[in-house]
Amino acid sequence: MSNASKSEKPIRVLIAEDQTMLRGALAALLNLERDIAVVAQAANGREALRLASELAPDIVITDIEMPERSGLELASDLKSGNGKARVIILTTFARPGYLRRALDAGAFGYLLKERPVSELAEAIRRVHAGLRVIDPTLAADAWNAGEDPLSDRERQILNRAGEGISSAEIAAQLRLSEGTVRNYLSDAINKLGATNRVDAARIARSRGWL
Amino acid sequence: MSNASKSEKPIRVLIAEDQTMLRGALAALLNLERDIAVVAQAANGREALRLASELAPDIVITDIEMPERSGLELASDLKSGNGKARVIILTTFARPGYLRRALDAGAFGYLLKERPVSELAEAIRRVHAGLRVIDPTLAADAWNAGEDPLSDRERQILNRAGEGISSAEIAAQLRLSEGTVRNYLSDAINKLGATNRVDAARIARSRGWL
DNA sequence: GCGTTTTCATGACATTTGTCATGAGTTGTG
DNA sequence: CACAACTCATGACAAATGTCATGAAAACGC
């Protein structure tokens, strides 16, 4: 047995990322690091959760926008579960709202795909050592961008409106009156300083509020 | 010294991809292949064109959606230039319109980021050997999806409308009357079987026509 | 040069969207 | 409990959007 005094066991990592090529490439490169071992890969959030509870990795690297279950949901799931895995979010999007939600969901790291792989390896080591790692570009932005002013209903409705669904359709889907839907949209447009529903949806998305 | 008789010169590859992490990871992995050498990397189309004419690579791997100059434009540029580089498009999007435009622009390969890295290496070898490589998922789709029914003007207007810009604004930008803009949009909505401008933009984008 | 397509325009009309005032029931927090 | 925030609704009006008919000029292919 003998637990070596210096702790030579590699950091066990799980990667959740829906894009196969990136997922495979990251796994291959991280495995070249002597102190890191990629123990599993998942192409969606649900799969990742299953594998995480089965394999109990130290670190879970996850994208945000994935099918089945988003990376933010995954982070929540893992926090409320009984595993010890710490989550590092790895995403394309420098959206303040995403960062904030990631931290709320208990993530320990937030890194952009704009950075080189070496930084990912470094982030893994830091987070494993108990530190938090936030992309410097975002750390500043996040606060001056302000809170998400939208209510749940507004988000729900704005999301559909942004895809070109008519007020009448949205009302039917959510079992509301059409006037109500228009009212929510009017509020949302106002809160976001937009000129119409599509503009509002665009703005909300760009901040990571949808 | 000694140039071995069996032709041991590696295939010289340039990678154009705006996402740093993927770009770096691909370069690292491809460089592990004995017969492939990544001679340069670019983060946008303009940069890629410059490096290509300077270094004369055998193969250019390029993403489509990039700043400065898209991968499709890059392919065109390279075709009309005097280099010998063959282009392989590497993209997230399984959009028939993109494939068609890629082939029109003289691309030799069209591969999705949904595939493993090994297939990319294989595609490089095949294209270098003079073959064309089209992702099988798409080869079928491309034809039954039909032609882009939109005129240039319609595309131009629909694109703006899809971002939430009002008819009046679009008219001002393009120096048209507002009625004209609405007419174009009405036509586009009709051609695409959409219910409104936003829906139309969504459909056109999903097919790679915008 | 003739037909087709594209471009651009007007006007008129129906529909959808956005705004505002107003009010009632629910939920949550201090 | 009071206050605030959220939810849902109506009605009325203004503005933007979508449809249709119609026509004229330019560009393109054959």
Side-chain angles (χ1 to χ4, degrees), chain B residues 151-153 175-177 179-180 182-184:
Chain B
S151 70
D152 287 346
R153 255 310 190 220
R175 249 148 280 214
L176 297 174
S177 87
T180 302
R182 294 216 306 278
N183 285 337
Y184 278 118

Side-chain angles (χ1 to χ4, degrees), chain A residues 49-67:
Chain A
L49 184 61
R50 196 179 62 70
L51 288 168
S53 63
E54 190 182 316
L55 300 168
D58 300 310
I59 304 281
V60 172
I61 310 280
T62 180
D63 190 9
I64 290 185
E65 300 189 354
M66 285 189 301

Side-chain angles (χ1 to χ4, degrees), chain B residues 65-92:
Chain B
E65 300 189 355
M66 283 189 300
E68 302 284 339
R69 203 137 182 72
S70 81
L72 295 174
E73 291 170 313
L74 174 60
S76 275
D77 292 347
L78 289 171
K79 186 169 77 162
S80 59
N82 45 13
K84 59 177 178 7
R86 290 184 180 152
V87 173
I88 297 176
I89 302 283
L90 178 65
T91 175
T92 312

Side-chain angles (χ1 to χ4, degrees), chain B residues 137-156:
Chain B
T137 325
L138 270 150
D141 267 26
W143 292 108
N144 65 34
E147 292 275 346
D148 177 354
L150 302 174
S151 70
D152 287 346
R153 255 310 190 220
E154 285 167 348
R155 252 193 305 280
Q156 203 178 21

Side-chain angles (χ1 to χ4, degrees), chain A residues 151 153 176-177 180 183-184:
Chain A
S151 69
R153 256 311 190 219
L176 297 175
S177 87
T180 302
N183 284 339
Y184 277 118

